[in-house]
Amino acid sequence: MEKLVIEGGRPLSGTIQIHGAKNAALPILAASIMASGTHKLSNVPDLLDIQVMLEILRSLGCQAEHYGDTVTVQTSTAYSSHVPEELMGQMRSSIFLMGPLLARFGSVTVYQPGGCAIGERKIDLHLKGLQALGAKIEETGNRIVCTADSLQGAEIVLDFPSVGATENIMMAAVMAEGVTTLYNAAREPEIQDLQNFLNTMGADIIGAGTDTITISGVRSLSPCLYRIIPDRIVAGTVLVAAAVTKGGVTLERVNPAHLTSVIHVLRRAGVQFAIDGDIIQVSCPTRPKAVERIVTSPHPSFPTDLQAQVMVLLSLADGLSVIKETIFEGRFKHVDELSRMGADIRVDLSSAFIRGVPRLYGATVEATDLRAGAALVIAALAAHGTTIVEQIHHIDRGYDRIEEMLSGLGATIKRYTPVPSE
Ligand code: EPU
């Protein structure tokens, strides 16, 4: 198993360009199958989850290549609407194939998706939304078969603004007959990016970024060229890494508007920012201050995907901070690992009480999921001594060569790949 070996204590400095957003690229790649022809998507990061999505598209008959940051998908040869169980199990985002395959073929067979073990992660809202558009759903064990002679526009109210359900329903409704109105929709920037991509293919959607999205059905879509938005969670991770190491970093190719709630929280912790267009300069010359209460909630509130990373900053802050996690019930697995590095954190139900300590110490720790793994890397950068982070395949799902990204900013971080006999 690969590991990261990190020598802590060096302030990060320099300039970094933030790669494209995983959580925008994945549904967009799935949506590409709705238009027959060749799409070219740029700013696509090289991540494990992207590789799995391309493998799924190939298994359905598409041709898909990733060179540099550009993915070319040729979808006219797609012939199957059955996503292999083995690939479904490799990531949660495989569920994004449901809406597009139903729209293109009138039927889709999928299995319960895999993904980071951060909570129950049901898909009931996806299925209810597709049913409201006229799909019949049969569930047998792990297998879900969804069919529709034709999809009809509908008024749909989501019980919760689920990101994935909003995206799946938008994609299925694009070629439905009539108008679909989706209320209580998720408002994440990745949903706006999906709307822009679908509209570039010829869809007629308005409202993404608000809680009401209106999709007027169109008869057909055409392939297109499209550039994915920057990854706000990778950007947020670098902001925290710069702050915990008391460094100064310039982030280029970011969208500061996507990070408003994060910058607000970090400012309260004493982190300093200068923002100009798509550039953010971050620095934190002094010990961070505790933040009384942070609550993770759907966008535009504080994102669950940065909860673990910000917890590292607060574990080194002066005073007691509280973070309440409201999105995923299993997203405090980094706490035990941070405690092994000297953090003083107590969890009570969905709240973590973080009493700042003056320093963290290197240890051998395990990435239990993607963002927990990123948090441990950040902690290691700030810690005294050497940290070994194991199970880093989780980190590779969302950060394109994290060791290169951070060593470019002066960190001492190396990937250790065991030889096969070890
Ligand atoms: N939920 C249901 N039923 C559903 C769908 C969701 O009960 O049908 C619940 C979930 O169990 C969870 C909550 O609703 O408690 C939020 O789930 P949501 O559907 O919004 O999340 P997701 O679509 O599964 C995406 C991101 C996650 C990110 C969340 C929240 C992608 C590919 N994934 O997941 O990203 O944490 O939204 O913002 O877009 C990550 O990148 O590390 C990651 C986990």
PDB file of all heavy atoms in Angstrom, residues 86-103:
ATOM      1  N   GLU A  86     -19.300  -4.070 -10.416  1.00  0.00           N
ATOM      2  CA  GLU A  86     -17.963  -3.886  -9.843  1.00  0.00           C
ATOM      3  C   GLU A  86     -17.563  -2.396  -9.913  1.00  0.00           C
ATOM      4  O   GLU A  86     -17.003  -1.844  -8.959  1.00  0.00           O
ATOM      5  CB  GLU A  86     -16.987  -4.780 -10.627  1.00  0.00           C
ATOM      6  CG  GLU A  86     -15.650  -5.004  -9.984  1.00  0.00           C
ATOM      7  CD  GLU A  86     -14.616  -4.002 -10.457  1.00  0.00           C
ATOM      8  OE1 GLU A  86     -14.592  -3.691 -11.665  1.00  0.00           O
ATOM      9  OE2 GLU A  86     -13.851  -3.525  -9.612  1.00  0.00           O
ATOM     10  N   LEU A  87     -17.908  -1.737 -11.023  1.00  0.00           N
ATOM     11  CA  LEU A  87     -17.548  -0.312 -11.160  1.00  0.00           C
ATOM     12  C   LEU A  87     -18.469   0.564 -10.307  1.00  0.00           C
ATOM     13  O   LEU A  87     -18.045   1.573  -9.742  1.00  0.00           O
ATOM     14  CB  LEU A  87     -17.603   0.117 -12.630  1.00  0.00           C
ATOM     15  CG  LEU A  87     -16.534  -0.534 -13.524  1.00  0.00           C
ATOM     16  CD1 LEU A  87     -16.763  -0.198 -14.998  1.00  0.00           C
ATOM     17  CD2 LEU A  87     -15.140  -0.063 -13.108  1.00  0.00           C
ATOM     18  N   MET A  88     -19.749   0.168 -10.207  1.00  0.00           N
ATOM     19  CA  MET A  88     -20.680   0.932  -9.346  1.00  0.00           C
ATOM     20  C   MET A  88     -20.165   0.993  -7.915  1.00  0.00           C
ATOM     21  O   MET A  88     -20.321   2.000  -7.228  1.00  0.00           O
ATOM     22  CB  MET A  88     -22.064   0.248  -9.296  1.00  0.00           C
ATOM     23  CG  MET A  88     -22.968   0.440 -10.459  1.00  0.00           C
ATOM     24  SD  MET A  88     -23.575   2.103 -10.774  1.00  0.00           S
ATOM     25  CE  MET A  88     -24.397   2.641  -9.313  1.00  0.00           C
ATOM     26  N   GLY A  89     -19.552  -0.124  -7.491  1.00  0.00           N
ATOM     27  CA  GLY A  89     -19.113  -0.231  -6.098  1.00  0.00           C
ATOM     28  C   GLY A  89     -17.893   0.621  -5.797  1.00  0.00           C
ATOM     29  O   GLY A  89     -17.538   0.821  -4.636  1.00  0.00           O
ATOM     30  N   GLN A  90     -17.248   1.136  -6.850  1.00  0.00           N
ATOM     31  CA  GLN A  90     -15.985   1.843  -6.595  1.00  0.00           C
ATOM     32  C   GLN A  90     -16.167   3.300  -6.192  1.00  0.00           C
ATOM     33  O   GLN A  90     -15.248   3.934  -5.700  1.00  0.00           O
ATOM     34  CB  GLN A  90     -15.078   1.742  -7.817  1.00  0.00           C
ATOM     35  CG  GLN A  90     -14.586   0.315  -8.000  1.00  0.00           C
ATOM     36  CD  GLN A  90     -13.504   0.227  -9.048  1.00  0.00           C
ATOM     37  OE1 GLN A  90     -12.803   1.186  -9.317  1.00  0.00           O
ATOM     38  NE2 GLN A  90     -13.392  -0.928  -9.655  1.00  0.00           N
ATOM     39  N   MET A  91     -17.329   3.876  -6.513  1.00  0.00           N
ATOM     40  CA  MET A  91     -17.534   5.276  -6.077  1.00  0.00           C
ATOM     41  C   MET A  91     -19.014   5.635  -6.078  1.00  0.00           C
ATOM     42  O   MET A  91     -19.804   5.101  -6.842  1.00  0.00           O
ATOM     43  CB  MET A  91     -16.756   6.257  -6.948  1.00  0.00           C
ATOM     44  CG  MET A  91     -17.208   6.279  -8.373  1.00  0.00           C
ATOM     45  SD  MET A  91     -16.482   7.642  -9.264  1.00  0.00           S
ATOM     46  CE  MET A  91     -17.248   7.362 -10.861  1.00  0.00           C
ATOM     47  N   ARG A  92     -19.337   6.599  -5.265  1.00  0.00           N
ATOM     48  CA  ARG A  92     -20.700   7.090  -5.126  1.00  0.00           C
ATOM     49  C   ARG A  92     -21.218   7.711  -6.435  1.00  0.00           C
ATOM     50  O   ARG A  92     -22.376   7.577  -6.807  1.00  0.00           O
ATOM     51  CB  ARG A  92     -20.688   8.143  -4.003  1.00  0.00           C
ATOM     52  CG  ARG A  92     -21.891   9.003  -3.890  1.00  0.00           C
ATOM     53  CD  ARG A  92     -22.941   8.356  -3.030  1.00  0.00           C
ATOM     54  NE  ARG A  92     -24.094   9.219  -2.895  1.00  0.00           N
ATOM     55  CZ  ARG A  92     -25.221   8.835  -2.331  1.00  0.00           C
ATOM     56  NH1 ARG A  92     -25.347   7.628  -1.848  1.00  0.00           N
ATOM     57  NH2 ARG A  92     -26.239   9.654  -2.240  1.00  0.00           N
ATOM     58  N   SER A  93     -20.315   8.387  -7.155  1.00  0.00           N
ATOM     59  CA  SER A  93     -20.740   9.158  -8.333  1.00  0.00           C
ATOM     60  C   SER A  93     -21.189   8.290  -9.492  1.00  0.00           C
ATOM     61  O   SER A  93     -21.707   8.804 -10.479  1.00  0.00           O
ATOM     62  CB  SER A  93     -19.601  10.059  -8.802  1.00  0.00           C
ATOM     63  OG  SER A  93     -19.272  10.940  -7.767  1.00  0.00           O
ATOM     64  N   SER A  94     -21.007   6.958  -9.374  1.00  0.00           N
ATOM     65  CA  SER A  94     -21.531   6.085 -10.432  1.00  0.00           C
ATOM     66  C   SER A  94     -23.047   6.250 -10.547  1.00  0.00           C
ATOM     67  O   SER A  94     -23.622   6.020 -11.614  1.00  0.00           O
ATOM     68  CB  SER A  94     -21.160   4.634 -10.129  1.00  0.00           C
ATOM     69  OG  SER A  94     -21.497   4.320  -8.787  1.00  0.00           O
ATOM     70  N   ILE A  95     -23.696   6.718  -9.481  1.00  0.00           N
ATOM     71  CA  ILE A  95     -25.148   6.885  -9.498  1.00  0.00           C
ATOM     72  C   ILE A  95     -25.575   7.982 -10.493  1.00  0.00           C
ATOM     73  O   ILE A  95     -26.712   8.033 -10.936  1.00  0.00           O
ATOM     74  CB  ILE A  95     -25.669   7.171  -8.058  1.00  0.00           C
ATOM     75  CG1 ILE A  95     -27.148   6.825  -7.911  1.00  0.00           C
ATOM     76  CG2 ILE A  95     -25.424   8.593  -7.630  1.00  0.00           C
ATOM     77  CD1 ILE A  95     -27.439   5.367  -8.007  1.00  0.00           C
ATOM     78  N   PHE A  96     -24.617   8.854 -10.874  1.00  0.00           N
ATOM     79  CA  PHE A  96     -24.940   9.912 -11.845  1.00  0.00           C
ATOM     80  C   PHE A  96     -25.279   9.368 -13.226  1.00  0.00           C
ATOM     81  O   PHE A  96     -25.743  10.108 -14.077  1.00  0.00           O
ATOM     82  CB  PHE A  96     -23.764  10.888 -12.003  1.00  0.00           C
ATOM     83  CG  PHE A  96     -23.525  11.744 -10.802  1.00  0.00           C
ATOM     84  CD1 PHE A  96     -22.242  12.007 -10.370  1.00  0.00           C
ATOM     85  CD2 PHE A  96     -24.577  12.312 -10.106  1.00  0.00           C
ATOM     86  CE1 PHE A  96     -22.000  12.802  -9.277  1.00  0.00           C
ATOM     87  CE2 PHE A  96     -24.348  13.106  -9.002  1.00  0.00           C
ATOM     88  CZ  PHE A  96     -23.062  13.349  -8.582  1.00  0.00           C
ATOM     89  N   LEU A  97     -24.996   8.083 -13.463  1.00  0.00           N
ATOM     90  CA  LEU A  97     -25.329   7.522 -14.772  1.00  0.00           C
ATOM     91  C   LEU A  97     -26.830   7.277 -14.907  1.00  0.00           C
ATOM     92  O   LEU A  97     -27.340   7.124 -16.009  1.00  0.00           O
ATOM     93  CB  LEU A  97     -24.572   6.198 -14.970  1.00  0.00           C
ATOM     94  CG  LEU A  97     -23.179   6.252 -15.607  1.00  0.00           C
ATOM     95  CD1 LEU A  97     -23.197   7.050 -16.906  1.00  0.00           C
ATOM     96  CD2 LEU A  97     -22.136   6.807 -14.693  1.00  0.00           C
ATOM     97  N   MET A  98     -27.547   7.237 -13.779  1.00  0.00           N
ATOM     98  CA  MET A  98     -28.983   6.896 -13.824  1.00  0.00           C
ATOM     99  C   MET A  98     -29.783   7.838 -14.711  1.00  0.00           C
ATOM    100  O   MET A  98     -30.446   7.417 -15.648  1.00  0.00           O
ATOM    101  CB  MET A  98     -29.573   6.957 -12.422  1.00  0.00           C
ATOM    102  CG  MET A  98     -29.558   5.668 -11.708  1.00  0.00           C
ATOM    103  SD  MET A  98     -30.580   5.815 -10.240  1.00  0.00           S
ATOM    104  CE  MET A  98     -31.750   4.568 -10.585  1.00  0.00           C
ATOM    105  N   GLY A  99     -29.734   9.119 -14.388  1.00  0.00           N
ATOM    106  CA  GLY A  99     -30.527  10.106 -15.131  1.00  0.00           C
ATOM    107  C   GLY A  99     -30.157  10.119 -16.616  1.00  0.00           C
ATOM    108  O   GLY A  99     -31.034   9.979 -17.477  1.00  0.00           O
ATOM    109  N   PRO A 100     -28.863  10.258 -16.952  1.00  0.00           N
ATOM    110  CA  PRO A 100     -28.478  10.320 -18.363  1.00  0.00           C
ATOM    111  C   PRO A 100     -28.817   9.059 -19.157  1.00  0.00           C
ATOM    112  O   PRO A 100     -29.312   9.140 -20.284  1.00  0.00           O
ATOM    113  CB  PRO A 100     -26.955  10.520 -18.296  1.00  0.00           C
ATOM    114  CG  PRO A 100     -26.719  11.188 -16.988  1.00  0.00           C
ATOM    115  CD  PRO A 100     -27.746  10.621 -16.059  1.00  0.00           C
ATOM    116  N   LEU A 101     -28.600   7.866 -18.594  1.00  0.00           N
ATOM    117  CA  LEU A 101     -28.875   6.641 -19.358  1.00  0.00           C
ATOM    118  C   LEU A 101     -30.385   6.464 -19.545  1.00  0.00           C
ATOM    119  O   LEU A 101     -30.840   6.019 -20.596  1.00  0.00           O
ATOM    120  CB  LEU A 101     -28.261   5.419 -18.665  1.00  0.00           C
ATOM    121  CG  LEU A 101     -26.731   5.330 -18.783  1.00  0.00           C
ATOM    122  CD1 LEU A 101     -26.183   4.201 -17.924  1.00  0.00           C
ATOM    123  CD2 LEU A 101     -26.287   5.154 -20.233  1.00  0.00           C
ATOM    124  N   LEU A 102     -31.141   6.836 -18.509  1.00  0.00           N
ATOM    125  CA  LEU A 102     -32.599   6.767 -18.635  1.00  0.00           C
ATOM    126  C   LEU A 102     -33.053   7.706 -19.750  1.00  0.00           C
ATOM    127  O   LEU A 102     -33.900   7.351 -20.581  1.00  0.00           O
ATOM    128  CB  LEU A 102     -33.222   7.165 -17.298  1.00  0.00           C
ATOM    129  CG  LEU A 102     -34.712   6.940 -17.150  1.00  0.00           C
ATOM    130  CD1 LEU A 102     -35.068   5.458 -17.268  1.00  0.00           C
ATOM    131  CD2 LEU A 102     -35.195   7.473 -15.795  1.00  0.00           C
ATOM    132  N   ALA A 103     -32.464   8.908 -19.799  1.00  0.00           N
ATOM    133  CA  ALA A 103     -32.850   9.879 -20.831  1.00  0.00           C
ATOM    134  C   ALA A 103     -32.466   9.366 -22.221  1.00  0.00           C
ATOM    135  O   ALA A 103     -33.229   9.498 -23.174  1.00  0.00           O
ATOM    136  CB  ALA A 103     -32.170  11.222 -20.549  1.00  0.00           C
TER     137      ALA A 103
END
